[in-house]
Amino acid sequence: MDDVKAIVLHECGGPDVLSHEEVPTPQPGPGEALIRVRSVGVNRTLDITIRAGEYPRPVAFPHVLGADPAGVVEAVGADVAGLDRGQRVAVFGGLSCGRCRYCVEGHDEDCVNRRYLGVHQWGGYAQYVVAPATVVFPIPDDLPFADASFIFRHFPTAFGQLEASADVQPGETVLVMGASGGLGLCAIQVAKLVGARVIAAAGGDERLEVAASFGADFTVNYRREDLAARVMEMTEGKGVEVVCENVGDPHLWQGAFNSLA
Ligand SMILES: [Zn+2]
């Protein structure tokens, strides 16, 4: 196959460091799949922060970003079963080592050698991407590729935070900060699926409308209202059992912590 187009980084900086270039078509090694990319997200941390040079661990240049590609299987390497050419797939970008104690015991979500597609190896800002077949999953024919990228980026994290870490129970109340972001919208849906009540918090009224449309029971604008006071009103003075905090704004932490039961 000829060279293919990719968005290549040779240095960190503003958006103009994203360079549209031709690169050799990647080839799938044993256990890997080559995917023709049809969609990829723009993630605040894994794309924008790395591109700007603000990610704590520098990437090796030249680099191709893109943590959550979805597309069509073009080819598979040796020792790959269950994936066929032409199959619609999405990639889970969290790559576990398969060798550490947690991986061996089947808890690869706790892998101590976790790597990320688009960070530690070239990602999906390209016509083609290679990924380990173990993180490539078939998707339904009627699921748009862009939706698949979104789902694979955020739902595993939302389930991990709310079910595995916080162990949210039916009837509990969950405060979701940054509720209109990708992860926030998934957290709302996971909490509702479990049977919890959801208070969606965000910094704009139109964002809260989006959060409500995804199932939030209550909304609060933390840029305009006293977050903890409003949460206490909504919970009859009790507070929430769980706060889902993915914003990282120190100005919001106190209100979030003070909302806890
Ligand atoms: Zn591992």
Side-chain angles (χ1 to χ4, degrees), residues 3-247:
D3 287 356
V4 294
K5 300 286 189 192
I7 305 289
V8 183
L9 276 185
H10 296 280
E11 59 180 326
C12 293
D16 56 334
V17 300
L18 296 166
S19 175
H20 192 217
E21 300 176 6
E22 294 206 339
V23 298
T25 303
Q27 299 299 322
E32 294 179 331
L34 175 67
I35 296 155
R36 184 159 59 90
V37 177
R38 296 291 304 275
S39 69
V40 68
V42 178
N43 183 267
R44 184 181 59 167
T45 303
L46 296 178
D47 291 311
I48 295 173
T49 303
I50 290 176
R51 189 259 297 147
E54 295 163 359
Y55 193 68
R57 282 176 296 182
V59 296
F61 298 117
H63 183 66
V64 175
L65 295 164
D68 46 19
V72 177
V73 174
E74 181 75 18
V76 294
D79 305 323
V80 173
L83 290 176
D84 297 312
R85 189 167 192 273
Q87 200 166 17
R88 302 171 87 253
V89 294
V91 180
F92 174 64
L95 311 176
S96 48
C97 74
R99 295 184 304 275
C100 73
R101 180 163 64 91
Y102 297 100
C103 284
V104 169
E105 291 175 355
H107 293 286
D108 52 320
E109 70 276 13
D110 294 325
C111 176
V112 295
N113 303 311
R114 174 75 84 184
R115 296 157 58 83
Y116 293 93
L117 192 73
V119 179
H120 300 93
Q121 67 185 66
W122 282 18
Y125 278 26
Q127 283 180 296
Y128 290 89
V129 64
V130 161
T134 50
V135 295
V136 178
F137 298 92
I139 60 172
D141 286 343
D142 59 353
L143 181 66
F145 289 110
D147 291 21
S149 285
F150 178 90
I151 289 167
F152 275 64
R153 171 77 260 140
H154 292 301
F155 267 110
T157 307
F159 275 106
Q161 290 181 345
L162 290 173
E163 285 205 309
S165 298
D167 192 24
V168 173
Q169 298 296 312
E172 290 186 338
T173 305
V174 178
L175 170 62
V176 177
M177 304 288 286
S180 69
L183 182 53
L185 293 177
C186 292
I188 291 171
Q189 294 171 82
V190 171
K192 293 304 294 180
L193 189 66
V194 171
R197 295 195 310 165
V198 174
I199 300 174
D205 291 343
E206 67 290 342
R207 296 179 185 185
L208 293 172
E209 285 174 25
V210 174
S213 75
F214 277 75
D217 301 284
F218 306 98
T219 60
V220 53
N221 183 331
Y222 47 53
R223 300 290 181 201
R224 197 160 46 73
E225 301 176 276
D226 182 328
L227 175 62
R230 291 284 291 125
V231 168
M232 289 301 162
E233 280 174 32
M234 293 165 180
T235 56
E236 290 158 352
K238 186 162 156 260
V240 299
E241 282 81 6
V242 174
V243 175
C244 188
E245 211 302 301
N246 297 297
V247 181

